[in-house]
Amino acid sequence: MALKSERRFISRDNIKSGMMLEFSYTKENGDTNSYEVIVIDPKKSMDNKLYLHAILLENMSDEEIIRIAMEFGGTVNFDPDERTAPLTNLQSDQAYNRYKTSTTKNKRVYRTFLLNRISGTPRQILIGRPE
């Protein structure tokens, strides 16, 4: 089973930092795209709006996802019996400082999404066995 093999619906209120998430997002111009991310901050308030801050996971191998989780979060929480737990905690000053000094920053994988533009119910990507 791959790291990102299964999904379950999750309410926006239950999203936590370090969770892998899949959702549809409608841009301002009306275009809708699907995204796979690892959540940094699930509800960041800025300018009276709520944002989800995340790192894009599209086209990343299991190895790359684990490397990013370790590099930014410091640890990886891999428990096959608790597959709904977050992979790591990225909502900290230490994680942000690690991101700022990383070469990953240049690859533009950090994104912010307006919460009210996430359409439908997000799906948590459950933790499987890395391949």
Side-chain angles (χ1 to χ4, degrees):
M1 173 185 334
L3 184 65
K4 302 187 306 177
S5 61
E6 294 181 61
R7 279 112 170 105
R8 73 175 183 128
F9 290 104
I10 185 169
S11 73
R12 292 181 192 153
D13 291 335
N14 290 328
I15 297 171
K16 298 177 185 167
S17 176
M19 282 185 172
M20 293 185 292
L21 203 63
E22 179 181 66
F23 57 86
S24 295
Y25 184 79
T26 304
K27 296 179 181 179
E28 193 171 296
N29 66 5
D31 291 345
T32 301
N33 293 323
S34 291
Y35 293 92
E36 287 183 356
V37 302
I38 186 166
V39 176
I40 295 173
D41 190 337
K43 275 189 182 172
K44 179 77 171 177
S45 179
M46 295 175 6
D47 303 325
N48 294 323
K49 297 178 184 175
L50 290 176
Y51 292 85
L52 180 132
H53 289 243
I55 296 173
L56 296 178
L57 295 180
E58 280 97 4
N59 303 317
M60 282 192 191
S61 68
D62 289 357
E63 182 179 310
E64 291 171 307
I65 294 168
I66 291 170
R67 182 187 55 77
I68 282 177
M70 290 183 69
E71 182 179 350
F72 302 150
T75 60
V76 171
N77 304 319
F78 177 72
D79 182 354
D81 295 327
E82 187 57 42
R83 299 178 57 220
T84 61
L87 191 57
T88 190
N89 180 17
L90 299 174
Q91 192 175 355
S92 70
D93 291 337
Q94 297 88 352
Y96 183 66
N97 289 333
R98 287 184 199 115
Y99 173 76
K100 288 192 309 186
T101 60
S102 170
T103 58
T104 303
K105 183 179 176 186
N106 300 329
K107 296 179 184 174
R108 300 193 42 81
V109 295
Y110 187 98
R111 293 286 191 271
T112 58
F113 302 91
L114 279 165
L115 277 176
N116 66 353
R117 291 206 181 148
I118 293 176
S119 47
T121 304
R123 291 162 304 283
Q124 180 185 8
I125 302 170
L126 301 180
I127 298 170
R129 284 194 207 293
E131 291 183 346

